[in-house]
Amino acid sequence: LSLIERPKTGLRLIVTHEPDVLIDLPTGCADLVVLGHTHGGQIRLPIRGPLLGLPQVISQSLDMGEKTWNGLHVIISRGIGERSEEHTSEL
């Protein structure tokens, strides 16, 4: 986080895996923050959203998509998931 305190010109982009980093980011420190980790809540129901709470301290509304947090433009990826080795041999 110490890097964001240096003067910058041009596009200021922060890419991180952990949504809770947003708690420590000062307002206006970046033009865009791209993050993942939430997987949209792993199990999602139509209309309701995530079945279980997300593994994060920050707001549960930061589960996926394009959001605004503390004056920062945020894009949250749900990721692409993974397959176990036993299933990859079938591909």
Side-chain angles (χ1 to χ4, degrees), residues 2-60:
S2 63
L3 293 175
I4 65 172
E5 296 175 9
R6 296 181 185 167
K8 300 201 179 342
T9 59
L11 179 66
R12 297 170 301 154
L13 175 67
I14 295 175
V15 179
T16 180
H17 179 72
E18 180 60 54
D20 288 335
V21 167
L22 290 171
I23 295 169
D24 297 321
L25 294 179
T27 302
C29 69
D31 297 306
L32 177 64
V33 180
V34 179
L35 53 91
H37 183 72
T38 68
H39 303 282
Q42 298 287 348
I43 301 170
R44 292 182 69 85
L45 298 176
I47 301 172
R48 184 190 186 284
L51 186 59
L52 303 173
L54 300 172
Q56 60 196 36
V57 174
I58 203 162
S59 172
Q60 295 289 298

Side-chain angles (χ1 to χ4, degrees), residues 71-91:
L72 297 169
H73 187 82
V74 179
I75 296 179
I76 307 155
S77 169
R78 287 185 58 189
I80 58 172
E82 61 183 70
R83 294 177 60 98
S84 67
E85 287 185 29
E86 65 188 51
H87 295 311
T88 54
S89 62
E90 297 173 10
L91 297 176

